Amino acid sequence: MVDVIFGLDGGELLEIVVSDTGSYSDVVFGLLELLGISYRPALADLPDQKGWRISADADYGPLNTFARGKIDLRKVRKNWDDILRVIASIYTGTVRAYDVVTMLQRDGHPTALGEAIAAYGRIFKSLHILAFIDVDETYRRDIKHIRNLQEGRHSLARKICHGRKGELYHRYERGLENQLGVLGLVLNCVVLWTTVYLDAAVRQLKAQGYPVRDEDMARLSPFVHKHLGVHGAYFLLPDLAPGAIRDLRDPDAPDDEDES
């Protein structure tokens, strides 16, 4: 994930990264925070999550049971210069984050440098959990909103990549990259097409006096694919003037399913 972010051609770096429940660790929290990225993964088994404290004598009241971990800042201070070298190497593209994460473990156990980065990451993991369970649901809803967008895109990609149940079988890296690149290109074309026609449909409904509510508009997604046919002939362009689109269906006309 980090390698993809820093391998983008141009554009601003991401400020926030949201992921699913299976991809986070204390080391990842530390690396992303040091790289200037706010990491907000969805959390599994939330009641069993452990928080981390710096001061063993601090009293957090009802949160004392949650904050049962202890962060050893001495490890962070001792390895701080090496931590900065690693982060600078990732940021400048000198090394891949994948290789760094591999280097930070030995025989399934973190090295001293890996444990130092993990200790630093536990600070921000604890803050993330506290923000997630806060009575203000804004933080949690933002994560859910982004996750819904991600799932919508994945669902559309599965609809497009329907051959062999959407599984990639190439045994070499270049073949996988080519197949994923083509899938991304087609997916972007479909999203653009859907966006253009969604906009046209909304404008037509408003012009015809249909009530178009803002709360319904907020739920429109370019990742819908019920209208998408993936079998048959592709790229048969209709005879349209430049910049024109096909006539939209009459909203009062029955659907094909209704007619049958």
Side-chain angles (χ1 to χ4, degrees):
M1 176 183 64
V2 176
D3 291 331
V4 170
I5 293 173
F6 284 88
L8 297 176
D9 295 329
E12 297 182 0
L13 290 176
L14 299 179
E15 296 180 359
I16 299 173
V17 168
V18 174
S19 68
D20 58 24
T21 59
S23 59
Y24 65 84
S25 68
D26 297 342
V27 171
V28 174
F29 267 101
L31 287 176
L32 285 176
E33 186 64 33
L34 288 162
L35 289 166
I37 300 173
S38 176
Y39 188 40
R40 303 179 184 180
L43 298 171
D45 303 321
L46 186 58
D48 298 328
Q49 292 289 337
K50 179 171 68 173
W52 299 80
R53 62 172 69 201
I54 293 176
S55 174
D57 300 327
D59 182 11
Y60 296 107
L63 293 176
N64 277 328
T65 302
F66 162 73
R68 57 188 182 274
K70 176 69 168 63
I71 297 174
D72 189 352
L73 290 183
R74 292 174 300 177
K75 295 180 179 179
V76 180
R77 297 191 186 98
K78 181 179 179 180
N79 294 275
W80 187 244
D81 290 342
D82 289 334
I83 291 174
L84 294 183
R85 292 189 186 95
V86 167
I87 297 302
S89 298
I90 296 175
Y91 196 93
T92 57
T94 305
V95 297
R96 298 189 307 168
Y98 176 85
D99 295 327
V100 169
V101 173
T102 303
M103 177 195 69
L104 295 177
Q105 299 185 50
R106 185 179 297 115
D107 298 328
H109 300 284
T111 63
L113 180 58
E115 183 57 39
I117 295 176
Y120 186 79
R122 289 170 188 140
I123 300 173
F124 303 95
K125 178 182 178 180
S126 300
L127 294 174
H128 169 64
I129 295 174
L130 291 173
F132 196 89
I133 64 176
D134 198 303
V135 292
D136 183 0
E137 298 181 357
T138 303
Y139 186 86
R140 186 162 60 252
R141 285 179 176 175
D142 288 344
I143 294 176
K144 179 64 175 176
H145 175 67
I146 296 175
R147 291 289 298 129
N148 287 340
L149 289 176
Q150 292 172 341
E151 289 301 323
R153 186 186 185 280
H154 295 333
S155 179
L156 176 59
R158 284 192 292 268
K159 179 69 176 288
I160 295 173
C161 189
H162 60 89
R164 295 187 175 182
K165 299 180 180 179
E167 298 179 1
L168 305 181
Y169 285 87
H170 288 291
R171 297 182 180 274
Y172 49 94
E173 184 176 353
R174 173 61 67 180
L176 289 173
E177 290 178 347
N178 290 341
Q179 191 167 0
L180 288 172
V182 171
L183 175 60
L185 175 61
V186 176
L187 190 148
N188 289 340
C189 291
V190 171
V191 168
L192 175 60
W193 188 94
T194 302
T195 301
V196 170
Y197 276 88
L198 277 176
D199 180 68
V202 169
R203 286 190 281 108
Q204 177 172 302
L205 288 173
K206 289 182 177 180
Q208 294 175 347
Y210 280 83
V212 179
R213 301 184 301 177
D214 291 339
E215 52 267 33
D216 293 333
M217 289 281 293
R219 290 177 171 83
L220 291 177
S221 171
F223 299 132
V224 294
H225 50 72
K226 184 178 179 180
H227 64 290
L228 180 63
V230 295
H231 301 283
Y234 299 150
F235 304 114
L236 297 179
L237 300 179
D239 186 14
L240 297 173
I245 64 175
R246 295 186 299 179
D247 293 335
L248 300 176
R249 185 180 64 84
D250 184 353
D252 291 327
D255 293 334
D256 293 338
E257 296 179 358
D258 297 337
E259 294 176 348
S260 61

